[in-house]
Amino acid sequence: MLKKWFAIIFDHRLSLKERMFRVVTGICMIALLIILPMGKSLINLLILAGSLICMSLVVKFSIRKNCVNAGATAIAFLLLLVFPVSFFTAGGFYSGMPEWFVLCFVYISITLEGRRKVFFFLLGLAETLICYYTAYYFPEFVARNTTRNSFFDSAFSVVLVSILISILLSLLTRLYEEENELAKEQKKEIEELNR
């Protein structure tokens, strides 16, 4: 399955936008799989599992119907719903969840365009600040986390978010390099034809 995914994302017959959408969404789905156990409650696990199913369906539908922008918007909206729930049920800033908000901003920055990107980015900023404000002034809304779990969750999240973002940037860099090489080859062919 992984081999097929790599073959698809490096298939030049598909648009660069669609391939980037697949890469970034794939990384976000891996992130959701990783944070599933952090919630420590059945409701949180069900929400995160449901989110994975929804993301899979959105990706499949948006690629099939050739509406990647709409798919990216739906997934950005879903992430902005899921991450705060996970934040409060995992222990607030005494958990590993704050680090995962970064991945949401990366998703928005790479997949969305124009006003939509600005709107969702500002929405994400507001949401993050509201989560922190609420967790600080109303700690009763945040699930309790032991000091030991807090340190473990935070260290685990920093390492994994760093790894996932590094993989994402490596894949996107490779996509751009291949597109650049392809454009150079096409330019040479056009110049030769003109001669």
Side-chain angles (χ1 to χ4, degrees):
M1 185 171 160
L2 194 61
K3 197 173 187 177
K4 182 181 175 186
W5 185 71
F6 276 108
I8 290 171
I9 65 170
F10 291 110
D11 184 355
H12 294 286
R13 293 173 295 179
L14 302 174
S15 72
L16 182 60
K17 178 86 176 155
E18 180 183 324
R19 292 184 287 146
M20 286 174 52
F21 171 68
R22 287 176 184 251
V23 169
V24 182
T25 304
I27 294 292
C28 282
M29 290 175 81
I30 292 168
L32 284 176
L33 278 172
I34 292 168
I35 64 172
L36 277 170
M38 290 178 84
K40 298 173 185 77
S41 76
L42 181 60
I43 293 171
N44 194 50
L45 291 174
L46 291 173
I47 290 170
L48 290 172
S51 299
L52 276 172
I53 293 167
C54 285
M55 284 177 81
S56 300
L57 293 173
V58 167
V59 169
K60 193 172 194 168
F61 181 78
S62 60
I63 288 172
R64 197 173 276 163
K65 296 291 183 184
N66 199 21
C67 53
V68 172
N69 287 333
T73 303
I75 291 173
F77 185 73
L78 183 67
L79 291 174
L80 288 174
L81 289 176
V82 171
F83 281 24
V85 171
S86 297
F87 176 82
F88 287 106
T89 58
F93 35 72
Y94 298 110
S95 69
M97 278 310 299
E99 292 83 355
W100 294 100
F101 279 94
V102 173
L103 198 59
C104 191
F105 286 112
V106 169
Y107 187 86
I108 290 166
S109 297
I110 292 173
T111 60
L112 301 180
E113 297 173 338
R115 290 184 194 154
R116 197 177 295 192
K117 178 189 290 192
V118 173
F119 173 76
F120 274 90
F121 199 86
L122 292 175
L123 188 62
L125 285 174
E127 180 181 84
T128 303
L129 293 174
I130 289 168
C131 285
Y132 270 76
Y133 177 86
T134 305
Y136 184 77
Y137 287 106
F138 304 99
E140 62 272 12
F141 294 137
V142 180
R144 294 283 168 227
N145 204 357
T146 65
T147 304
R148 182 175 181 264
N149 283 345
S150 176
F151 282 107
F152 174 76
D153 288 349
S154 183
F156 178 75
S157 293
V158 166
V159 169
L160 285 173
V161 169
S162 299
I163 290 169
L164 289 174
I165 290 176
S166 296
I167 290 169
L168 174 64
L169 293 175
S170 297
L171 287 170
L172 292 179
T173 300
R174 185 169 165 202
L175 281 175
Y176 279 119
E177 286 171 352
E178 286 187 8
E179 285 296 310
N180 194 27
E181 286 300 315
L182 189 62
K184 284 179 185 177
E185 288 174 19
Q186 289 173 343
K187 185 179 177 184
K188 281 182 185 178
E189 288 174 9
I190 291 170
E191 287 173 356
E192 287 176 13
L193 286 172
N194 287 338
R195 283 184 211 145

